[in-house]
Amino acid sequence: MTFLETIAHIVDLVPVLLRVTTPILLAALGVHISQKAGVLNLGVEGMMLAAALAGVLASAASGSAWVGLAGALATGAVLGFLLSFAIHVLKADLILSGIALNMLAAAGTTLVLYMLTGDKGMSGSLSSGVLPSLAIPLIADIPVLGRLLSGHHVLTYLAFAMVPVVAVLMMRTPFGIRLRAVGESAEAAATAGIDVARMQIAALVLSGLLAGAAGAFLSMGYVSWFSQNMSGGRGFVALAADLMGYGSAWGTMAASLLLGAADAFVISLQGKGIPSELLQSLPYIVPIVALVIHARARRKRFVRI
Amino acid sequence: MMITAMTRRSALRAMMLAASTSVLAVAATGAQGADAKKIVFLVNGNLGDKSYFDLGAKGMDLVKQKYGDQVETKVIEMGTDQTKWLPTFQDVSEQDYDLIIACTFEISDIMAEVAPEYPDKTYVLIDGVMPYDKGDYGNVYSVVYKQNEGSYLAGIFAASLLKDGVVPGSQGTSLGFLGGMDIPIINDFLVGYVEGAQSVTPDIKIAISYAGTFNDAAKGKELALAQYRAGTAIGFNVAGLTGVGQLAAAKEADKWALGVNSDQELIFKDSDPAMAAKVATSMLKKVDVTLARTYDLFLEGKLPIGTVEAIGLKEEAVGLAETGNMATLAPPALKQKLDEAKVGIISGAIKVSSGFAIDQAALDKMRTAVRP
């Protein structure tokens, strides 16, 4: 392989990396916000799944992919609200509620799909829309840079655009400061006059919105249909990405890219004679290694204090 | 206590009967002959799947058409609630059916539980195997498919499309295989496919990927896109819902897909014709033919009840979808080649390896030989 071919090969892999990373990053940013508010959103997987179905249904009913996206976002937000309702009003356990939400979404989406279409496995019989990919004028025509920056899915751009938005929201706004104060110490925040429940509801609704966008990417970006359990554990990968992100939105992005890179690497290594069992375990080895490094680094930090 | 238990049990039965009659879908009942046989097809799910269950119901129709009022057929949809399957099975077993038929491996556990309780009834399990060595299943007939034979035809078809230039070389020079997992049943498809393709082009290249999941359409699409990028023109998906992602990749990359089990062209025929147009053909497991054949054998007293039987091309139980895109894509010479291969396999002149029997070293050697 010549040098130029190698470069071309790497350039080819960038769109793969960005596609694989998009749902993880969107969901991970959602987890990040919830974690900062002290209500880690364990239901992110279920929110993605339910939103993926809602997007397809809303799009098929309206004939517009954008209405589909709105449906997916709304579903994520409503589920985020329900989760906070369970915690604050019903006083349910945060972790159990999150797990329950995942189980409900897994079975509930199949049930709804069947009731509306008569199909159990997938929504192939519905003609639902797909959100577009965007070609950036001028940049699209530049040889290598065009491939790298232009022509990606609209939600891919949204995912990466959300990183600075979330970073600023959390670190530089009064809302973000209150939210983090609640997450650091709910009692202290309450003493200072912050409405803890309201902040945590807001955090989970925002978290649900981002998980909804991640779900929409799966059913209206990657493919044009919903299928049973199509989230495929990406919500849990997003939880890992958040934990690996050192509590910052930029760190979460870096972690999401690392996990996405592991996936993209495995995809490009398929069919090269490497045992498939080894390949399939790689995307799970990466977070384990990263979390070990993370834990060691954190212990050192505590020692310093 | 005993009486209470029994009353409770019969009350339960009555409730189950009421519950199951509410979900009964009677496919066909007609004027019955004096000694009409009664057969029932239990759907562990619902009709409308465009796959096994719809084909099974079609098989029941075939039986009804052939035997008219000599047979009473019924299709019962048990729904997706698995807790209903066992009571419905027991309820049906209490009645006077001559044959109780169900399909997919998902139902095998329930059949394994119910069949020994009703030794005078006869059960049929399609595309699944009873654990005959672990229990007394002398009243269950299991039938599985020789998917390697059908996949052999898929291999000939795909390799010939490339060789004959129907799919131009500009679209790619190799074939693809997208498997769900690296397990014997998936590799049974693979070895047939590879041998079929090699019979046309001995040095054919086939990109092989395993997704590790049967649910992740996005991953299936990404793996298929990677194959298409690397020069695959026609890919064969054997990965359930993951595999359907290949169709989205074929549409996006303007390449070709081969479906599996049921006719995947039909999934998107109405909702997304552009995607359906990229499904060159599908390797079918013909549950309808299987069901009709089973009943014929049963009437003749030749059904090997209490054993597992593998059926393939000889029984017309596997094969390519020949309607739709395949009809226009394949030149007459290719159709003839496929027919000749079919005759060869049936007569034994062509031996197709099995993914269940092949040893790991031979499998690795085969995969290495076709690596692009």
Side-chain angles (χ1 to χ4, degrees):
Chain A
M1 213 188 272
T2 67
F3 178 68
L4 271 179
E5 275 173 352
T6 313
I7 294 290
H9 190 65
I10 292 169
V11 170
D12 265 349
L13 281 181
V14 170
V16 179
L17 170 64
L18 296 182
R19 274 198 302 265
V20 171
T21 304
T22 300
I24 299 172
L25 176 57
L26 282 167
L29 287 172
V31 174
H32 172 67
I33 295 174
S34 69
Q35 187 236 339
K36 283 283 171 191
V39 276
L40 187 66
N41 181 7
L42 279 175
V44 61
E45 174 89 6
M47 290 178 185
M48 276 173 82
L49 193 61
L53 175 62
V56 163
L57 295 179
S59 152
S62 66
S64 156
W66 295 103
V67 175
L69 175 63
L73 294 178
T75 301
V78 166
L79 288 176
F81 179 77
L82 282 179
L83 187 56
S84 57
F85 182 82
I87 297 162
H88 281 292
V89 181
L90 305 176
K91 306 290 178 198
D93 181 75
L94 173 67
I95 292 173
L96 291 182
S97 305
I99 294 170
L101 179 65
N102 290 335
M103 292 166 76
L104 177 73
T109 47
T110 308
L111 180 71
V112 170
L113 181 68
Y114 166 64
M115 289 194 328
L116 294 177
T117 67
D119 271 325
K120 297 157 293 161
M122 58 182 288
S123 69
S125 59
L126 296 174
S127 36
S128 53
V130 185
L131 295 163
S133 294
L134 299 180
I136 303 173
L138 298 175
I139 292 178
D141 302 328
I142 305 171
V144 174
L145 207 61
R147 284 292 315 270
L148 294 179
L149 295 179
S150 176
H152 302 303
H153 194 262
V154 59
L155 290 177
T156 302
Y157 290 112
L158 176 78
F160 286 91
M162 283 314 287
V163 177
V165 172
V166 171
V168 169
L169 178 76
M170 300 307 288
M171 305 310 286
R172 312 259 172 213
T173 64
F175 173 81
I177 291 164
R178 287 196 195 111
L179 199 126
R180 284 188 292 133
V182 168
E184 290 291 333
S185 167
E187 288 84 359
T191 315
I194 298 173
D195 186 339
V196 173
R198 232 173 93 183
M199 294 316 294
Q200 292 189 332
I201 290 169
L204 281 174
V205 168
L206 284 176
S207 186
L209 274 172
L210 286 162
F217 182 73
L218 292 179
S219 65
M220 305 171 67
Y222 244 130
V223 295
S224 54
W225 63 85
F226 172 84
S227 73
Q228 220 174 52
N229 288 330
M230 73 185 306
S231 46
R234 287 178 181 78
F236 298 109
V237 174
L239 281 163
D242 168 60
L243 291 175
M244 288 157 61
Y246 281 89
S248 91
W250 294 101
T252 302
M253 181 186 85
S256 300
L257 278 167
L258 177 67
L259 293 167
D263 258 344
F265 187 59
V266 166
I267 285 163
S268 72
L269 280 184
Q270 283 274 358
K272 300 267 195 293
I274 301 163
S276 60
E277 295 83 358
L278 186 68
L279 278 182
Q280 278 149 22
S281 59
L282 191 68
Y284 302 96
I285 294 172
V286 168
I288 292 171
V289 171
L291 286 173
V292 168
I293 296 171
H294 171 83
R296 288 183 68 93
R298 215 168 66 165
R299 204 178 327 150
K300 265 188 205 147
R301 219 167 13 171
F302 279 126
V303 168
R304 234 182 294 145
I305 294 164
Chain B
M1 278 312 283
M2 192 65 192
I3 294 164
T4 339
M6 276 177 68
T7 348
R8 267 183 64 195
R9 195 173 166 195
S10 45
L12 260 177
R13 280 263 157 72
M15 273 165 63
M16 280 161 193
L17 187 68
S20 51
T21 33
S22 65
V23 292
L24 291 191
V26 180
T29 41
Q32 308 309 327
D35 53 351
K37 298 278 183 202
K38 286 180 75 180
I39 63 173
V40 59
F41 174 46
L42 292 171
V43 177
N44 48 312
N46 295 283
L47 297 178
D49 67 338
K50 298 182 185 65
S51 184
Y52 282 32
F53 301 142
D54 283 356
L55 284 174
K58 192 178 154 207
M60 293 297 272
D61 288 343
L62 291 176
V63 169
K64 185 73 197 166
Q65 276 166 25
K66 186 166 175 186
Y67 294 100
D69 58 5
Q70 296 291 302
V71 65
E72 190 182 326
T73 62
K74 190 175 230 174
V75 178
I76 297 178
E77 292 179 86
M78 299 191 289
T80 47
D81 180 359
Q82 302 202 1
T83 58
K84 286 212 184 103
W85 295 354
L86 180 64
T88 311
F89 243 92
Q90 286 170 332
D91 180 36
V92 164
S93 300
E94 292 277 322
Q95 299 171 34
D96 58 344
Y97 287 105
D98 297 286
L99 268 187
I100 298 167
I101 306 164
C103 63
T104 78
F105 74 92
E106 276 187 322
I107 204 71
S108 55
D109 285 346
I110 287 178
M111 211 178 249
E113 190 172 337
V114 176
E117 287 178 29
Y118 301 92
D120 54 330
K121 288 283 184 300
T122 305
Y123 298 84
V124 175
L125 176 59
I126 297 174
D127 206 21
V129 183
M130 275 292 121
Y132 288 104
D133 51 339
K134 293 201 184 92
D136 182 18
Y137 302 113
N139 57 338
V140 187
Y141 163 66
S142 305
V143 56
V144 294
Y145 293 100
K146 293 177 184 167
Q147 48 259 336
N148 57 339
E149 295 186 353
S151 302
Y152 189 91
L153 298 186
I156 291 181
F157 177 68
S160 300
L161 289 184
L162 274 184
K163 193 182 179 190
D164 302 345
V166 179
V167 170
S170 58
Q171 291 205 5
T173 51
S174 56
L175 303 181
F177 179 87
L178 175 58
M181 285 179 187
D182 191 355
I183 51 176
I185 186 162
I186 299 296
N187 288 327
D188 202 30
F189 288 91
L190 175 69
V191 295
Y193 181 61
V194 170
E195 289 180 352
Q198 284 174 331
S199 76
V200 175
T201 311
D203 59 347
I204 189 90
K205 295 301 172 199
I206 303 178
I208 299 167
S209 303
Y210 296 96
T213 158
F214 288 96
N215 275 324
D216 196 336
K219 187 162 190 190
K221 181 185 179 189
E222 203 63 79
L223 287 167
L225 279 175
Q227 291 186 348
Y228 289 140
R229 258 200 316 278
T232 289
I234 308 164
F236 182 25
N237 76 74
V238 189
L241 292 170
T242 300
V244 188
Q246 186 191 53
L247 273 53
K251 183 189 173 190
E252 190 172 309
D254 195 21
K255 302 288 174 73
W256 295 91
L258 300 175
V260 75
N261 288 0
S262 63
D263 189 345
Q264 289 186 346
E265 187 183 338
L266 294 180
I267 304 177
F268 293 105
K269 201 164 178 242
D270 299 321
S271 61
D272 193 344
M275 194 163 348
K278 305 312 292 181
V279 184
T281 186
S282 297
M283 204 297 279
L284 307 175
K285 291 184 181 175
K286 300 179 185 169
V287 177
D288 51 343
V289 174
T290 311
L291 211 148
R293 173 182 176 273
T294 300
Y295 187 68
D296 288 345
L297 289 178
F298 176 69
L299 278 190
E300 293 164 24
K302 288 181 186 160
L303 193 67
I305 301 163
T307 60
V308 54
E309 187 181 19
I311 58 175
L313 287 173
K314 184 172 162 226
E315 296 81 8
E316 297 274 343
V318 297
L320 301 182
E322 290 174 4
T323 51
N325 296 329
M326 150 75 164
T328 48
L329 273 175
L334 173 52
K335 283 180 184 154
Q336 199 189 334
K337 187 154 62 176
L338 288 168
D339 286 338
E340 283 165 11
K342 203 165 141 183
V343 171
I345 291 171
I346 293 170
S347 72
I350 300 173
K351 292 260 182 285
V352 186
S353 302
S354 155
F356 296 102
I358 195 168
D359 64 61
Q360 191 63 38
L363 184 63
D364 286 341
K365 197 174 155 211
M366 178 184 269
R367 288 193 286 218
T368 309
V370 298
R371 188 182 307 151

